[in-house]
Amino acid sequence: MCCNGCIFLALQIVISLYMSFSSRGASVFPEKHWTVIDPNRAGLVTDKLELFQKFVGGRGCIIRHGNLVFTWGDQTKSSDVASAFKPLLTTLLFIAIHEDKIPSLDSKVSDFEPRLKELGKDAVITWRHLANQISGYGLTEHPGRAYSYNDFALALYYDILIGKVFASTGDEVLRTRLAEPLGFEDRNTFNAFGLRDRPGRLSLSVRDFARFGLLYLQRGKWRDKQLLPPQLIDLALSNPLPPQFPLTTGHEAAMLPNQRSIGGSRNITAVGPGYYSFNWWLNKSNALGQKLFVDAPTDTYLASGHGGQSALWIFPAWDMIVSWNDSPIDDHDKSPGNRDSKCNMAIRLLKAALKSE
């Protein structure tokens, strides 16, 4: 027979679990502004966060359980986020599929840009190829055969998705599909450097970028609306390139006339297989068994620009989002298996700020 004390203890455990779950803000979203709470209430140690902030530098913010718990620098300043914009671009691709503008991820890009057929192999480039940096565009490899972190392919991706699929401007697509639904507070534009200088370069404030991160943490839901099917969110966060996926040889091939780059070359880094999934970086392992970020939870994912100087970190295990820009952290590519990379050291400092739970 169960004693009254045991029943009481069981009830206490159930209540404790319920209160713990509720405090995590499973359905907490910002309104016009983020709700600000003390770090201590969110299970964080302020002194430790200050050490983290000094190491990271620049400006940034931390969201936990759906609330703003810590900030540093100018929260209103909007500036280029570099390659950290790429997961947002793929989110617009998902929205285009959700709106039936594109049949599927495996539809051919040449359906919207017929000139790709004149390049032979590039006629069969799909949207999935572009979103995973395996298109072979401007290189000798056929689509789907090799990984190449390729900013010429990214410019092709942006220009066709925005100009031909949405048949609009980047800023209008950004405004109607993300900025207004998520309630961005600050200036946001796909023309970070002006209309004529690398269109597609995204300018956001750190606190607005965190809203985009919360959309993913909540699996495509924003308040009472499902902006994206959760299966597309899950797809993006669970399909890294296989660790043994081949790298490009770097041998160049023809591109469309006057093809521009969105910033860099056709072969920027060899880091990607094992980690790269629909323009997100997942904390998985490469062919050498090296975890991307040794001290981060395995379910961590990241949008990274300029080697980590601009970053949007999502830590589902901690119910936390961290957004920063203009940081001196710049060694993302040196992080695999490396506890002493700046990226991993920042994570270790952040982890130290978590109270025992």
Side-chain angles (χ1 to χ4, degrees), residues 9-134:
L9 179 60
L11 286 172
Q12 287 290 94
I13 291 171
V14 170
I15 291 169
S16 176
L17 288 171
Y18 173 77
M19 293 301 293
S20 175
F21 177 79
S22 298
S23 70
R24 288 176 179 272
S27 299
V28 174
F29 296 90
E31 297 295 335
K32 184 176 180 181
H33 305 293
W34 287 95
T35 299
V36 180
I37 67 171
D38 185 85
N40 185 64
R41 283 185 56 201
L44 297 165
V45 181
T46 303
D47 290 350
K48 300 287 188 180
L49 290 178
E50 289 173 350
L51 292 175
F52 166 79
Q53 170 241 306
K54 288 177 182 177
F55 181 80
V56 170
R59 63 188 185 281
C61 64
I62 298 175
I63 311 299
R64 195 163 199 221
H65 309 329
N67 298 301
L68 182 65
V69 298
F70 193 77
T71 65
W72 65 100
D74 185 352
Q75 296 298 293
T76 70
K77 183 178 179 180
S78 175
S79 63
D80 177 48
V81 300
S83 287
F85 100 97
K86 292 171 183 177
L88 188 144
L89 181 62
T90 288
T91 302
L92 293 177
L93 169 63
F94 290 164
I95 290 172
I97 292 170
H98 187 50
E99 293 179 1
D100 293 325
K101 295 182 182 297
I102 297 173
S104 78
L105 285 168
D106 296 311
S107 298
K108 294 176 182 177
V109 179
S110 59
D111 292 342
F112 293 91
E113 177 46 273
R115 293 182 301 164
L116 286 172
K117 297 175 183 178
E118 300 171 10
L119 297 177
K121 69 180 181 65
D122 293 342
V124 297
I125 291 174
T126 67
W127 297 101
R128 187 189 299 270
H129 292 146
L130 288 176
N132 285 287
Q133 299 278 25
I134 57 172

Side-chain angles (χ1 to χ4, degrees), residues 4 9 29-30 54 58 92 96 121 135 151 197 254 274 287 300 350 354:
N4 289 337
L9 179 60
F29 296 90
K54 288 177 182 177
L92 293 177
K121 69 180 181 65
S135 69
D151 274 2
D197 187 354
T300 300
L350 183 64
L354 290 165

Side-chain angles (χ1 to χ4, degrees), residues 301-319:
Y301 52 102
L302 163 73
S304 178
H306 284 322
Q309 295 176 56
S310 303
L312 175 67
W313 297 83
I314 294 95
F315 302 97
W318 300 340
D319 195 14

Side-chain angles (χ1 to χ4, degrees), residues 222-238:
W222 195 261
R223 300 197 188 99
D224 59 347
K225 294 182 180 179
Q226 193 72 43
L227 299 184
L228 271 176
Q231 57 266 32
L232 285 177
I233 300 292
D234 295 344
L235 176 74
L237 302 178
S238 61

Side-chain angles (χ1 to χ4, degrees), residues 85 88-89 92 127 130 152-166 168-174 189-191 198-202 260 262:
F85 100 97
L88 188 144
L89 181 62
L92 293 177
W127 297 101
L130 288 176
F152 285 88
L154 253 294
L156 179 79
Y157 184 9
Y158 173 84
D159 289 341
I160 298 176
L161 181 63
I162 298 299
K164 300 198 174 185
V165 175
F166 284 104
S168 187
T169 65
D171 281 3
E172 180 65 10
V173 174
L174 179 62
T189 177
F190 269 127
N191 298 299
R198 290 163 288 170
R201 295 295 290 251
L202 177 66
R260 69 186 184 92
I262 212 156

Side-chain angles (χ1 to χ4, degrees), residues 5 58 108 136 176 251 274:
K108 294 176 182 177
T176 55
H251 297 150

